[in-house]
Amino acid sequence: EAGVAQSPRYKIIEKRQSVAFWCNPISGHATLYWYQQILGQGPKLLIQFQNNGVVDDSQLPKDRFSAERLKGVDSTLKIQPAKLEDSAVYLCASSTRVSGRSYEQYFGPGTRLTVT
Amino acid sequence: GDSVTQMEGPVTLSEEAFLTINCTYTATGYPSLFWYVQYPGEGLQLLLKATKADDKGSNKGFEATYRKETTSFHLEKGSVQVSDSAVYFCALSGGYTGGFKTIFGAGTRLFVKA
């Protein structure tokens, strides 16, 4: 079974530029998550999709971040314009269940973003 | 809101030493508890989980027991190997005030020396 795919693995941009990350979840997983992991911290949920609908985007900085999941499969996360504090690893994860207390999330390798 | 606190790292041990990584949580309701591990250059992967009080999760020689009375979920292993060097994250999900999202601790980096 193929895992969660993400691209690119690394990205360096200047502040005020835009950037996009792509994620392809495990086949059949209805739920997709984007996390931001700042160095030395645990992952923080940015947005959660169920199929192509948003379940939770309460921690997404909507003035600069946007995400979509067309056709309920792969997803893109965009930052426009980027700030220095956006430097982090962006993790995508997927799971089979929408809710419930014991579901396992499967993570991709992440995209390391450096904003200079 | 819900939160997870884990011991700061790095933790450095010699091979075959005993490992404990402390994790405590704050949550309302009846959350599930997890330990995820992140090896260098890889994404997080689930190590073990427990869904109710007094449950013990175990995998690859690692164990953790869900202690509701002390709101803890400490990770233990009797004899660590060099290959266990990684970052370990304690997490919870299903807490009412967390909106049922998964909340991660800051992570504890483990170095095991040969």
Side-chain angles (χ1 to χ4, degrees), chain A residues 37 42 56 101-102 105 107-108, chain B residues 30 32 49 89 93 101-102 105:
Chain A
Q37 185 180 15
D56 186 337
R101 303 184 305 111
S102 64
Q105 295 182 43
F107 285 82
Chain B
Y30 303 93
S32 292
K49 68 180 182 184
F89 292 92
S93 72
K101 64 170 66 72
T102 301

Side-chain angles (χ1 to χ4, degrees), chain A residues 9-10 33 35 37 39-45 48 56 58-59 89 91 99-110, chain B residues 30-34 36 38 41-46 49 51-52 66 89 93-94 98-107:
Chain A
R9 291 295 307 275
Y10 305 92
Y33 315 79
Y35 289 89
Q37 185 180 15
L39 186 65
Q41 300 181 18
K44 182 184 82 171
L45 180 69
Q48 177 181 340
D56 186 337
S58 57
Q59 299 187 102
V89 176
L91 297 168
S99 61
R101 303 184 305 111
S102 64
Y103 57 85
E104 174 177 356
Q105 295 182 43
Y106 295 82
F107 285 82
Chain B
Y30 303 93
S32 292
L33 301 175
F34 306 82
Y36 281 84
Q38 187 173 33
E42 299 182 14
L44 281 73
Q45 54 187 276
L46 181 67
K49 68 180 182 184
T51 59
K52 61 184 186 296
Y66 189 164
F89 292 92
S93 72
F100 295 97
K101 64 170 66 72
T102 301
I103 309 294
F104 289 87

